[in-house]
Amino acid sequence: MMLEIFNQADSNKWDEIVNGSVNGTLYHSWNWLKLIEKHSGTKLYALVFFDDKDVTPFGAIPLFHMQKFGLKMVFSPPPRSAVTLGPVLLNKGYSQRKFELSHLAFQGSIDSFIKNLGTNYTSIITSPGLLDIRPFSWADYNVKPLYTYMVDLNQGEKEIWKNMSKSLKLEIKQAEGQGVRIIENPSDNNIDCVL
């Protein structure tokens, strides 16, 4: 794998990678990452990994570096950012074996980069779409799977609301009371959170 650090000039390429991945989220987009960097007091390293044999990216990961209390720390995402990030992977039509080997090499490249920063502590919280976390386990990370629910939005608002727990309905109403609105963007059907 070949590592490249993307910067502002590469922001459109970065967003193309995120949009083409199986587990990219809105929070992986370049503009969100720069906002997170600005408000977290960290330095963003937007790492993209390419196969040795071609120029198509295999995956990418936003890492945020911070030095505090004499410790060098790397996060994806930084503390109190209230999002999930971690790596995004592109589906290049690999066989299962080739994909696993590439994923393992990708993880090794991440670890080498983190080690070269002299990091004392690393925390990576992956997006819900990243289903195979074995490379983290194989690299001796302390892995704690957390689970979330995926809701089919095609069933309609009334049916979704009916199936929610009372506590979730209360939390949504409290968020609305604090001015949070979720609206559908008619131009591309993405969901935006408006504060």
Side-chain angles (χ1 to χ4, degrees):
M1 300 297 251
M2 180 181 69
L3 163 69
E4 190 175 324
I5 301 172
F6 275 28
N7 57 37
Q8 186 66 42
D10 304 307
S11 62
N12 288 336
K13 286 190 234 172
W14 176 271
D15 285 343
E16 285 176 23
I17 293 167
V18 169
N19 291 333
S21 74
V22 294
N23 65 301
T25 68
L26 168 70
Y27 306 113
H28 283 96
S29 70
W30 187 263
N31 289 338
W32 269 104
L33 296 177
K34 294 307 284 183
L35 281 171
I36 292 169
E37 177 185 41
K38 178 181 175 183
H39 294 287
S40 65
T42 59
K43 176 169 177 37
L44 170 65
Y45 289 98
L47 308 179
V48 180
F49 298 85
F50 296 87
D51 230 341
D52 289 333
K53 296 176 182 167
D54 61 35
V55 294
T56 306
F58 173 79
I61 185 169
L63 295 177
F64 295 86
H65 185 260
M66 170 192 298
Q67 188 165 346
K68 198 171 189 178
F69 308 119
L71 294 174
K72 293 180 181 177
M73 299 170 277
V74 169
F75 301 95
S76 186
R80 296 181 303 280
S81 59
V83 299
T84 57
L85 289 173
V88 296
L89 304 176
L90 294 164
N91 184 355
K92 297 171 65 171
Y94 286 164
S95 68
Q96 183 68 29
R97 178 77 177 139
K98 171 73 171 154
F99 182 81
E100 288 175 358
L101 290 173
S102 295
H103 196 175
L104 191 56
F106 173 48
Q107 183 63 46
S109 297
I110 294 169
D111 294 338
S112 294
F113 182 84
I114 291 170
K115 184 177 180 181
N116 288 338
L117 290 174
T119 304
N120 306 96
Y121 177 81
T122 302
S123 173
I124 299 173
I125 301 172
T126 64
S127 66
L130 185 68
L131 302 178
D132 189 359
I133 58 172
R134 292 175 300 164
F136 287 104
S137 181
W138 296 333
D140 291 328
Y141 280 75
N142 181 10
V143 177
K144 282 195 314 188
L146 301 174
Y147 299 94
T148 189
Y149 296 98
M150 296 183 80
V151 178
D152 178 7
L153 299 179
N154 292 322
Q155 60 184 317
E157 185 178 343
K158 287 181 182 179
E159 190 65 24
I160 293 169
W161 188 258
K162 183 180 107 181
N163 291 322
M164 285 184 188
S165 68
K166 289 180 182 178
S167 61
L168 180 56
K169 290 177 187 177
L170 178 63
E171 289 174 13
I172 291 171
K173 288 180 181 180
Q174 288 172 340
E176 287 173 340
Q178 295 174 353
V180 174
R181 294 183 307 132
I182 298 176
I183 60 170
E184 185 173 343
N185 182 344
S187 64
D188 62 2
N189 293 327
N190 287 332
I191 302 298
D192 296 323
C193 181
V194 180
L195 300 175

